[in-house]
Amino acid sequence: MNVRAARMQVAVSDDRRLATLKLLPESGMDGEIPLTLEQISQLIATLGQARAAMQDKRAVPPMEGASFTPIYKTKWTVQPEALTEGSIIAFQHPAFGPVGFVLPPADIEKVVRALTVHMGMVHSSERAPGKPS
């Protein structure tokens, strides 16, 4: 197993107006870069584009067994997508900003069936204590 030491760390200021990217000795460089929310959003988008380019020729990994963090408070929208005749589902991700994906018609049918099953399950009351918000 090849474990590498961290080469940078990020800290958010107490007033949450800036984050500082600090280069650690293992990076071979020295310094700190203060970043605003807008600059971090731009960096995330640029890193995402780089990751997508690096991932481009690789198979999309399966979702089964993948770990992820659910989002409970967000804004979202569904709209038609003309190229595939599918639907775009987009939402505000707290870490990545606005993101979305296209569901082709066959997958829309699967989602509708799955959500219909979920709606048929016994749900806790809207006022139940401990319910995620």
Side-chain angles (χ1 to χ4, degrees), residues 1 10 34 39 63 79 86 90 112:
M1 183 174 176
V10 178
Q39 291 168 324
M63 285 297 298
Q79 59 193 42
V112 169

Side-chain angles (χ1 to χ4, degrees), residues 61-115:
M63 285 297 298
E64 292 76 15
S67 63
F68 57 91
T69 302
I71 299 166
Y72 292 100
K73 292 182 180 181
T74 189
K75 303 282 185 189
W76 60 272
T77 186
V78 177
Q79 59 193 42
E81 198 282 320
L83 184 63
T84 63
E85 297 182 354
S87 295
I88 297 173
I89 298 178
F91 59 96
Q92 284 286 347
H93 191 288
F96 306 116
V99 294
F101 60 95
V102 174
L103 284 174
D107 287 344
I108 294 169
E109 292 173 14
K110 290 179 190 175
V111 169
V112 169
R113 281 194 301 273
L115 291 174

Side-chain angles (χ1 to χ4, degrees):
M1 183 174 176
N2 186 7
V3 178
R4 294 184 182 191
R7 301 189 326 170
M8 65 187 88
Q9 70 183 52
V10 178
V12 177
S13 65
D14 290 340
D15 66 3
R16 297 180 182 256
R17 292 181 184 265
L18 285 176
T20 302
L21 174 68
K22 180 178 181 180
L23 300 169
L24 300 176
E26 292 81 4
S27 71
M29 295 180 265
D30 186 33
E32 294 183 355
I33 304 169
L35 299 164
T36 64
L37 176 61
E38 293 76 21
Q39 291 168 324
I40 285 184
S41 296
Q42 183 179 20
L43 178 60
I44 289 169
T46 303
L47 288 171
Q49 291 167 354
R51 185 183 188 284
M54 295 170 77
Q55 180 73 31
D56 186 44
K57 301 296 183 198
R58 298 178 184 188
V60 177
M63 285 297 298
E64 292 76 15
S67 63
F68 57 91
T69 302
I71 299 166
Y72 292 100
K73 292 182 180 181
T74 189
K75 303 282 185 189
W76 60 272
T77 186
V78 177
Q79 59 193 42
E81 198 282 320
L83 184 63
T84 63
E85 297 182 354
S87 295
I88 297 173
I89 298 178
F91 59 96
Q92 284 286 347
H93 191 288
F96 306 116
V99 294
F101 60 95
V102 174
L103 284 174
D107 287 344
I108 294 169
E109 292 173 14
K110 290 179 190 175
V111 169
V112 169
R113 281 194 301 273
L115 291 174
T116 300
V117 168
H118 293 173
M119 290 300 297
M121 293 178 180
V122 176
H123 290 284
S124 60
S125 165
E126 289 295 321
R127 290 180 240 140
K131 182 176 180 179
S133 56

